Amino acid sequence: MTIVWAGLSLGAVYALIAIGYNITMTFGGVFNLAHGAFVVLSAFFSWFIIVDQGWPWWTAALLGLAGGALLAGIEELVAVRPVLRRENGHALLVTTVGAFVVIEGILMATWGEEPKSIPFFGGQEALTLLGGRVARVDLWLIAVAVAAGVGLHLFSRRSLWGLAARGATTDPEAAKLRGIDVAALRTGSFGLAGALAGLLGPLMTPKTGASVSIAITLTVFGFVALAVGGFGNFLGSIVGGLVIGLVQSYSSRYLGVEYPPLLLFALLLAVLVVRPTGLFGQRGLRAV
């Protein structure tokens, strides 16, 4: 059971990345490849606030929320909106990758390559649960991933903002004719995803650490979780992330650390061949 808890907690991290991807896809119609870099930026910022400055964890969470929303909104204004005005949506892959590289370069120049870590605000003691050992941070990660996915699922289907954003993503021209500000909704979706990334810093950093090298790992495995769970489906992001985490945990334990990437991408290929939008994906949503 200890392996299961380890896989679920790791999968919760991937699920949270996938949820961030799905926010901009569902509410803004854009796949933001820089989201993983925002999460790593939040990790370094949390270390700076909590360890370097000695401030409480909730300060890092609140400042990270505001800062992440602001920076992600700026990314949309600078790297996304000008491209969409030229009606060249495929270039968004290049501009969001460019934003990823810029953030990664800033992190490298500011904090260097040395990994950093912070203590978990909920305590360091491990618990025995259902016959296995699990850290407190692992339980928090699982709970937050499920809560975020379920909450955003309900928000996207029952709130006026969520319904308007989904409609604008499906048919932007029809949404504009009904008086919906499509550009503002897209900027808001980036801000929401950035706020989530910034808020999670004090929670995810005790698990993943703060290191520039993990940015590409979170980006790739978060995308695998998104693709397996389903493009445009927040509940699918939870399932996809947890499945990926369990596969990685069990394959590392019984086969060796070199096998998880091979198995995960074989799983990704199998899912995309059988169901290109993912297990719970929406066929009407454009996927990258």
Side-chain angles (χ1 to χ4, degrees), residues 54-250:
W55 293 2
W57 69 269
W58 53 266
T59 306
L62 293 178
L63 291 177
L65 182 150
L70 177 61
L71 292 176
I74 292 173
E75 180 200 1
E76 193 279 332
L77 292 173
V78 174
V80 174
R81 187 170 300 191
V83 176
L84 290 178
R85 286 174 180 168
R86 295 194 295 270
E87 299 184 359
N88 185 11
H90 295 292
L92 291 175
L93 291 175
V94 178
T95 57
T96 55
V97 168
F100 177 98
V101 173
V102 168
I103 295 172
E104 194 174 41
I106 292 173
L107 293 177
M108 183 71 72
T110 305
W111 285 293
E113 297 184 1
E114 182 180 355
K116 306 181 188 302
S117 61
I118 63 174
F120 178 54
F121 57 82
Q124 305 297 317
E125 303 83 4
L127 305 174
T128 300
L129 188 62
L130 301 179
R133 299 287 288 173
V134 56
R136 294 175 186 267
V137 65
D138 294 342
L139 294 177
W140 273 77
L141 281 168
I142 297 169
V144 169
V146 172
V150 172
L152 285 165
H153 171 79
L154 296 175
F155 177 75
S156 68
R157 284 165 170 75
R158 299 187 180 182
S159 71
L160 181 60
W161 193 90
L163 292 173
R166 286 166 61 85
T169 299
T170 303
D171 193 338
E173 296 304 321
K176 290 177 182 178
L177 292 175
R178 297 184 64 86
I180 296 175
D181 192 337
V182 175
L185 287 174
R186 187 175 56 248
T187 303
S189 72
F190 270 75
L192 180 59
L196 176 64
L199 182 65
L200 291 174
L203 176 62
M204 293 181 62
T205 310
K207 176 71 176 181
T208 64
S211 171
V212 177
S213 63
I214 68 169
I216 189 64
T217 301
L218 294 179
T219 297
V220 172
F221 283 89
F223 174 77
V224 175
L226 171 69
V228 171
F231 297 98
N233 191 298
F234 291 105
L235 298 182
S237 296
I238 302 173
V239 175
L242 296 182
V243 168
I244 295 304
L246 287 171
V247 170
Q248 184 173 353
S249 180
Y250 271 97

